Amino acid sequence: MIIGTLLKIEAIKTGKRLAFIISWISMAFLATTIFYEPYAITKRVRGNSSFSFPDAWGILLSEEMMIPMFFGCIAIIIVTTAEFSSRTARQNVIDGLSKEQFFLSKTLLAFLICLLFAGTYLAIGASFAAAVTDFSAIDGPFLPRKSATMLLGLLGTFLGWGAVALFVSLGVRNSGSAMGVWIMYISFIEKFIGFSISNLGGWTDGVVKFLPMRTFNRASNIIEHDPDEYAKAVELASSLDMTPPEIWGFPTMLTAWSLWMVVLIGGSYMWFKKRDL
Amino acid sequence: MTETQTVIETEELTKRYRKTLAVDEISFSVQSGQIFGFLGPNGSGKTTTIGMLLGIITPTSGTFRLFGNDPSRSNHEARLKIGATLEYPNFYPYLSGWDNLRIVAHIKDRGQKDIERALEIVGLTSRKKSQFKTYSLGMKQRLALAATILGDPKLILLDEPANGLDPEGMREIRHIILDLAADGKTIFLSSHLLAEVEKTCTHVAIIKEGRLLQQAGVAEITSKGSLVGLKADDIDKLESIVKEFPATVSTRQEDDFLLAELDDPDLAGLNKFVSEKGVFVSYLARRPRSLEDVFMEVTDGGEHGMGDLA
């Protein structure tokens, strides 16, 4: 029951927040421009089915998924930090929410924003793809297994990015600064940390690969989901006389992902709980 | 007659921010039905104390009970019986007054009718659809009061409710508070506006630099002792003589006057005593003791040797 109440409250707060709406619409606009091109090509070129289902999943679930992830995390930072800078978090607790309920509402909101942005992006792409798909000609499953696991993996990556954004928001409490810290972390701070640890010796490789962003991004690495892609990667590595890429496998990936989610969400909670509002 | 209940009880409540002691072992209690004024200069620890009662600031040490709750247990249930605002009104600026109250109503599990009633009480019905950021300060304070009374709380905590308001706004807020008290609510309000507190409150506690200096009924402390105003050419000499008068409890200078608190209102005796010492007063009259007098005496106690006036 409390979850329903928290969601209603967040819907009132977020649904009329201009910054959130703008980031959502901007992402939807970008998605439209991204998917219009393959749609137009497929429509114009006879016999081209690259953007028809089920092949379209390859384009829908490609690296461009970083766009909704990026915009979604910016939206999370905007809506979360605002609660602290304008002290409405304090007022919510004064009005009767416990600190735990308030934190739960922010966590739910962060996850829902991830789902909303990913869902919108995929819905726009899928609409274009559906428009050029002859569904009667689909031979085999509409959503192949490798695409289904990739979809789950992307969702895992998105939720991981969202958890980092939430952690940064609670720590920094200022939207501009939080965005800066989050962008710096995902773009180079973690790489720098990894590089610094690597310099300590070969034994550290096992640690570096499990840093949070690497773990989250691994969930949507195509070689984990598509055996053909993995075979290609092995072939390429061997042609370059390099070590073949490592496959984590689902159990390792899930364990590492879950651990980091617990650390980030749990850490955010401890941080929030301890702090005076 | 309704039975009184202790709704707030603090015991050596303390909050320390690194080297700063914001609240220093304060103990006080508020009974049901009281309009309790929490008086103190800016930065004296009023907001921190209320913040601890509301669960947004963690006490460094000490305990408190709300509605007789066991202090070792969570106060969340007890807090649901409280309506409160802290410092300035904290609402979502891009939402209307109505939408802001919808959020509060969801938290307090109240419906649309309660929102309408609260808006009506504070006189904001006509502007309920306007964005909060377009409200004047008085309207923001009234919306904060509407949020506070939403859910029919038993205890209302208000932190500087008249802060920044013009006299008309202060009068409106005062009337709303008195109406709520007449409705059976217990009111706890912090303020540094002494005249407002005197007009509104039945009981006061005075806090300075985190320490509780006094707690008593307003009538009790303003009727206690006898305050006398004196004037002479050499006011410093007059003060030193008055201090020697046996009935003098304390003295202080205010504008061109010397104010003396006597435990025996023997004005003729005082006049005689002063004149025998070679000083002739140009003015000598008993002055009604206001809350401001008490506040000044208590908070300046160290400087002028004021004792406990309770």
Side-chain angles (χ1 to χ4, degrees):
Chain A
M1 186 182 163
I2 185 65
I3 288 180
T5 303
L6 297 178
L7 291 177
K8 279 181 202 163
I9 292 168
E10 291 307 322
I12 297 169
K13 288 181 195 173
T14 314
K16 292 187 180 175
R17 185 149 171 79
L18 197 59
F20 169 79
I21 296 167
I22 288 172
S23 58
W24 186 39
I25 291 174
S26 303
M27 187 280 297
F29 181 74
L30 261 175
T32 307
T33 58
I34 288 166
F35 292 124
Y36 181 75
E37 193 182 332
Y39 158 78
I41 292 169
T42 308
K43 200 175 178 189
R44 256 185 249 132
V45 182
R46 192 182 293 270
N48 184 338
S49 63
S50 61
F51 198 51
S52 300
F53 283 119
D55 294 346
W57 287 115
I59 296 172
L60 290 176
L61 304 175
S62 65
E63 282 178 352
E64 270 81 26
M65 267 297 278
M66 276 181 70
I67 289 167
M69 288 186 201
F70 184 82
F71 278 89
C73 290
I74 292 295
I76 289 170
I77 290 170
I78 288 170
V79 297
T80 313
T81 53
E83 296 272 14
F84 297 103
S85 50
S86 63
R87 293 202 156 181
T88 45
R90 162 192 271 205
Q91 190 62 44
N92 282 181
V93 174
I94 289 172
D95 288 335
L97 281 188
S98 64
K99 272 186 160 180
E100 287 75 14
Q101 288 167 343
F102 183 84
F103 181 78
L104 177 62
S105 72
K106 291 299 133 203
T107 308
L108 284 172
L109 179 68
F111 287 172
L112 286 176
I113 288 174
C114 290
L115 292 177
L116 176 71
F117 276 64
T120 304
Y121 178 86
L122 289 176
I124 291 168
S127 302
F128 277 115
V132 288
T133 299
D134 177 4
F135 284 94
S136 63
I138 294 176
D139 185 22
F142 170 71
L143 179 64
R145 185 186 153 81
K146 64 181 182 187
S147 299
T149 60
M150 183 67 179
L151 184 60
L152 277 176
L154 277 163
L155 195 60
T157 302
F158 203 164
L159 293 177
W161 283 36
V164 175
L166 184 68
F167 184 80
V168 171
S169 296
L170 286 167
V172 180
R173 289 190 282 177
N174 171 286
S175 56
S177 307
M179 274 184 224
V181 170
W182 180 76
I183 290 170
M184 282 196 294
Y185 186 80
I186 64 165
S187 55
F188 66 83
I189 290 178
E190 189 176 293
K191 286 192 182 96
F192 179 74
I193 293 169
F195 178 73
S196 303
I197 296 174
S198 296
N199 279 344
L200 297 173
W203 62 272
T204 56
D205 290 348
V207 177
V208 172
K209 70 179 181 184
F210 286 116
L211 285 173
M213 290 306 290
R214 292 184 189 215
T215 300
F216 295 141
N217 291 341
R218 170 60 69 157
S220 54
N221 190 327
I222 194 153
I223 64 169
E224 294 284 348
H225 304 280
D226 189 340
D228 296 338
E229 290 295 330
Y230 177 65
K232 276 188 212 167
V234 170
E235 201 178 302
L236 181 67
S238 123
S239 70
L240 296 170
D241 206 20
M242 290 171 68
T243 318
E246 181 193 17
I247 290 275
W248 284 20
F250 184 72
T252 307
M253 210 152 56
L254 183 66
T255 307
W257 182 89
S258 304
L259 279 173
W260 275 117
M261 290 302 274
V262 168
V263 167
L264 288 167
I265 303 292
S268 303
Y269 170 70
M270 297 303 286
W271 205 340
F272 176 70
K273 176 79 178 164
K274 204 178 159 196
R275 180 192 296 156
D276 292 334
L277 293 176
Chain B
M1 196 174 158
T2 50
E3 200 180 316
T4 56
Q5 183 200 1
T6 303
V7 290
I8 302 174
E9 190 177 9
T10 72
E11 200 174 318
E12 297 184 348
L13 201 58
T14 302
K15 180 65 186 182
R16 181 183 282 281
Y17 296 101
R18 294 201 175 100
K19 286 182 180 172
T20 309
L21 190 58
V23 174
D24 185 7
E25 296 189 347
I26 67 168
S27 303
F28 64 90
S29 64
V30 178
Q31 307 299 316
S32 59
Q34 289 182 348
I35 308 180
F36 192 95
F38 199 43
L39 282 176
N42 289 331
S44 57
K46 302 187 296 291
T47 301
T48 306
T49 304
I50 298 177
M52 287 191 277
L53 297 176
L54 293 171
I56 57 168
I57 295 173
T58 310
T60 307
S61 64
T63 57
F64 64 91
R65 290 170 192 267
L66 297 172
F67 301 99
N69 242 19
D70 180 352
S72 63
R73 296 181 62 189
S74 163
N75 275 305
H76 182 63
E77 286 299 314
R79 286 197 185 101
L80 295 175
K81 298 179 200 165
I82 299 174
T85 57
L86 204 59
E87 292 180 300
Y88 41 84
N90 296 309
F91 288 104
Y92 297 89
Y94 56 94
L95 292 179
S96 65
W98 176 262
D99 280 335
N100 270 298
L101 290 187
R102 275 175 67 209
I103 291 172
V104 182
H106 278 306
I107 294 173
K108 296 184 175 180
D109 197 20
R110 294 283 157 160
Q112 205 162 308
K113 279 188 177 169
D114 293 284
I115 301 176
E116 279 162 4
R117 187 177 151 268
L119 283 168
E120 205 177 302
I121 290 172
V122 301
L124 266 184
T125 307
S126 61
R127 290 292 305 274
K128 66 180 180 183
K129 294 291 180 189
S130 304
Q131 281 184 321
F132 177 73
K133 64 184 173 193
T134 66
Y135 284 8
S136 66
L137 182 59
M139 290 165 75
K140 286 176 179 174
Q141 293 280 27
R142 280 190 276 154
L143 187 71
L145 261 178
T148 302
I149 60 181
L150 196 68
D152 202 21
K154 287 186 166 60
L155 169 65
I156 294 174
L157 294 173
L158 303 169
D159 187 22
E160 303 278 6
N163 214 6
L165 297 183
D166 57 21
E168 178 62 21
M170 284 160 84
R171 198 175 65 88
E172 283 177 13
I173 296 288
R174 191 194 316 139
H175 283 172
I176 294 170
I177 290 169
L178 290 172
D179 286 346
L180 290 168
D183 207 23
K185 315 283 186 213
T186 305
I187 315 273
F188 181 97
L189 66 92
S190 81
S191 183
H192 62 274
L193 302 171
L194 299 161
E196 276 305 303
V197 170
E198 191 166 6
K199 283 174 192 164
T200 317
C201 295
T202 58
H203 292 75
V204 289
I206 298 173
I207 182 174
K208 189 185 179 189
E209 290 170 358
R211 278 178 295 126
L212 190 73
L213 303 178
Q214 187 170 18
Q215 180 188 351
V218 173
E220 184 192 338
I221 55 170
T222 53
S223 64
K224 192 145 187 162
S226 183
L227 201 63
V228 175
L230 302 100
K231 211 171 175 181
D233 288 342
D234 188 344
I235 198 143
D236 292 329
K237 191 174 178 188
L238 175 66
E239 183 170 18
S240 64
I241 293 168
V242 170
K243 275 183 177 170
E244 291 170 20
F245 186 57
T248 301
V249 176
S250 61
T251 63
R252 73 167 190 278
Q253 290 183 28
E254 192 178 284
D255 301 325
D256 291 338
F257 286 89
L258 175 69
L259 296 177
E261 194 208 351
L262 309 179
D263 57 14
D264 174 13
D266 176 14
L267 264 63
L270 175 63
N271 196 7
K272 186 167 177 265
F273 182 82
V274 171
S275 60
E276 280 172 1
K277 299 274 181 181
V279 172
F280 298 94
V281 294
S282 57
Y283 176 90
L284 174 63
R286 189 179 296 173
R287 203 178 112 159
R289 211 155 174 259
S290 68
L291 192 56
E292 185 178 349
D293 293 323
V294 178
F295 182 80
M296 294 307 291
E297 287 160 12
V298 172
T299 56
D300 273 359
E303 251 179 78
H304 298 282
M306 297 286 179
D308 182 9
L309 298 169

